[in-house]
Every structure is written in structure tokens, then in C-alpha cells.
Amino acid sequence: MFATQVKKLFVYSALVGMAASMSSNALAQTSAAATYPNKPIKLLVGFAPGGGTDAAARTIAIKLTEILGQTVVVDNKPGAGGNIAADLVAKAPGDGYTIGLANIGSLAVNPHMPNGTPYNTLKDFAMLGNGVSFGNVLVVKTDSDIKTFAHYLVAAKNADKPLFYGSSGFGSAGHMSGELLKQRANTTAQHINYKGGGPAMNGLLGGEIQAIFASAPTAIPLIKAGKLRALAVTGAKRAADLPDVPTIAELGFPGYLATNWYSFIAPASTPPAIVKKLNAAIVSAINDQATLTRLSAQGMEPDPSTSEEMRAFVTKEYDTWGKVARTLKF
């Protein structure tokens, strides 16, 4: 009987200790959230400067800095189609001082690619909220012999002279746009992988490749400057800034759709109170009129959301692109 009582006392003491520890952790998290942020915040971007993700991050970071009262520093960590930056976020301390702006590739496509990702999209991140969305634009240089989308298809089917198209990275929306068209149109176009939309555009302008499925923010300024010719857009509807450029669906491929999006992430261990504070700041930053104007001028459609809405959206995209990826051959 004495042994039984001792065992019960031990269990009771252990439970009390666990409860005290949990209470202490909760208090610590509450205290941290109350004083957050008290130092600069790093916003990791998985692509080189000059591309769409970088442009969106820097535009939104301006207002985030003002709202949070601490500098939000954009830190470019290009490579592996955005996976390097996403993995750094996943493995960072969950204190709210390392967050990321990830895209469709790193969160929804790359996990289904042959090499996978070193993180689990649905388990390793706190979803801070959606950022922006937009279609991609198939572009060539203005002096290219490819004058129309029909010309592009002819060139892309010429086995004797391969057509090389670029994108911002393996698994990116641009890459998937090209692979989906390659599959639907039965072309032999070859993909060239770059570490961001900026380097890919330099590759096109420098003659390394013949075309790019570029993000709207990267392509539109150069189209308006007369350096690029837009052949088609990959979204469900024509881009507001490119009303005369048809969708690929309009050009003989009904149902074709490949849109891009950027969303904010943090380590999964980030306290809910800090996630809530960051979400509120992100939504306010995106809805700021100056931010809206800058994003729209770059061809981006603001798409702020709650963290719960982002999780539901990313989960759906993860499942959708998983099914697509399994049908493609790389």
C-alpha cells in the first residue's frame, strides 16, 4: 500500500511539474509577444534581387517597418527554386525575427519534385498570411523572329533547333507554366533554371535563351520599355496592364491555368500571439494605399488573408500541384 501511495504521489508531482512548466512557457510566450518586436526582423526571399518575389518583399517591407516600429530587412537567399530560403525559415528560432516570403514553387510544387524538399510544407511552417497573386507572361525579345504565340509553338516543336526557355527556378510558377504548355502542345522546348526572375531576364536579354515565362512584375516594365514582346499570359484572365495580350487558354488550350503567388511564412514554433501580430501587420501593410499602388503598378494583385485562410489555400495548392507534378516528366 505504501508503495502504491508513493507511486501516486510521484505521478501527482510529475503532473504538477508539467503543468507548472507549461504555465511558465505560456507566460514566457505571452511576455515575448507583448514586447515583440524589439529588434530588426529578417524577411528571407528565395531568389536574387530583380525578380517578382524580391520586388513584392521590398514593397511590402516598407510599410511593415512603419507598422511594427522595427526595420524589416529583406535578405536574399537564392537557390533551389526558393527551397534554401524556405528551409532556413523552417529551421530558424520561432521568435518572429526570421520570416519568409515564399512562393508557389517552394511551398506547393517543389515538395513533389524528384528531389523533394528538406522541409514539410504542411508541418514546418506557421502561415502568416497570403501576400499577392498574378499570372505569368510568356515573353521574347522584341527583335526575336518569334512574333506570335503560334510562332513560339512552331519553334518549340523544331527538334533540329531546340528552343530554350527560362524561369526563376526549378519548380517555380514560370517553370510549371512552361512544362504544362510543353505537355499540352507536345513541344520539345527545354527549360533553363535560373536563381530568380532577374537572372533569367538577363539570360533572355543576353541571348542565352529565347523565351521566358516571367512574373508580371519582372516583365511588364520591360514590355512597356519596348525591350520585350508579350506573346500570352498564363492566368485565367488577361492582365489589367496587358489587355491586348491573350491568355494561353484563349489561344487554343482551354482549361490551361498557371498562376503565381507569394505568401508569408514563419517557423512552426512561432507563438500564436506573434503570428497574430505579424498577420495583422502584413494585412495592414498590403491594404495601405501606397503599397496597393506600388504592387498594382508591378502587375501584382494584392491578396491578404488570415493565417487560417492561408493554410487552407496552401494545402489546396499543395494537393493540386502534387497531382500535376506526378504527370510530368523531368
Side-chain angles (χ1 to χ4, degrees):
M1 180 178 290
F2 177 75
T4 301
Q5 289 178 333
V6 170
K7 183 177 181 180
K8 288 181 178 180
L9 181 60
F10 176 79
V11 172
Y12 174 76
S13 298
L15 291 173
V16 169
M18 288 174 61
S21 177
M22 291 172 65
S23 177
S24 177
N25 288 338
L27 288 172
Q29 288 187 1
T30 301
S31 177
T35 59
Y36 175 85
N38 55 27
K39 63 180 181 180
I41 298 166
K42 285 195 299 183
L43 175 57
L44 302 189
V45 171
F47 302 92
T53 317
D54 180 72
R58 293 181 187 279
T59 298
I60 297 171
I62 294 171
K63 192 63 181 181
L64 272 180
T65 292
E66 180 182 325
I67 293 170
L68 293 169
Q70 291 289 340
T71 304
V72 177
V73 182
V74 176
D75 190 0
N76 299 87
K77 300 293 184 182
N83 293 1
I84 291 175
D87 189 45
L88 287 171
V89 173
K91 292 178 171 58
D95 54 13
Y97 292 103
T98 300
I99 62 177
L101 184 62
N103 71 348
I104 181 176
S106 55
L107 294 183
V109 178
N110 295 350
H112 307 288
M113 293 292 104
N115 293 329
T117 54
Y119 51 84
N120 184 310
T121 293
L122 304 181
K123 294 181 180 180
D124 293 341
F125 299 112
M127 306 295 181
L128 300 180
N130 291 327
V132 297
S133 62
F134 50 89
N136 285 296
V137 188
L138 173 59
V139 294
V140 296
K141 291 173 63 177
T142 51
D143 60 0
S144 170
D145 292 336
I146 301 173
K147 307 297 183 184
T148 66
F149 181 71
H151 290 162
Y152 174 86
L153 292 182
V154 170
K157 292 180 180 180
N158 185 351
D160 295 329
K161 187 179 179 182
L163 181 147
F164 295 96
Y165 79 91
S167 79
S168 62
F170 191 83
S172 67
H175 180 202
M176 289 295 97
S177 296
E179 290 301 313
L180 284 174
L181 180 60
K182 182 176 178 179
Q183 183 185 63
R184 291 286 300 274
N186 193 29
T187 75
T188 57
Q190 297 182 27
H191 175 246
I192 301 298
N193 182 40
Y194 288 88
K195 291 185 177 182
M201 191 59 69
N202 289 337
L204 175 63
L205 295 175
E208 296 174 357
I209 52 178
Q210 288 75 55
I212 296 181
F213 284 84
S215 67
T218 304
I220 287 177
L222 293 170
I223 294 170
K224 291 183 176 180
K227 295 183 178 181
L228 298 180
R229 178 185 299 116
L231 305 179
V233 295
T234 67
K237 59 183 180 180
R238 298 189 182 197
D241 284 354
L242 301 172
D244 297 328
V245 181
T247 67
I248 290 177
E250 288 180 78
L251 294 169
F253 299 91
Y256 179 99
L257 177 64
T259 57
N260 203 349
W261 47 263
Y262 305 146
S263 296
F264 290 87
I265 56 174
S269 58
T270 306
I274 291 180
V275 170
K276 185 176 180 180
K277 185 173 285 191
L278 281 168
N279 172 259
I282 289 166
V283 171
S284 295
I286 294 173
N287 285 331
D288 172 70
Q289 189 55 55
T291 306
L292 289 171
T293 300
R294 292 190 191 100
L295 291 173
S296 297
Q298 297 175 85
M300 300 185 199
E301 183 175 337
D303 187 28
S305 73
T306 66
S307 57
E308 294 79 12
E309 288 169 340
M310 178 184 163
R311 181 164 293 281
F313 171 75
V314 170
T315 299
K316 182 179 178 181
E317 287 284 278
Y318 183 92
D319 292 340
T320 296
W321 285 100
K323 293 175 183 177
V324 172
R326 287 190 287 274
T327 70
L328 299 175
K329 296 179 180 179
F330 298 103

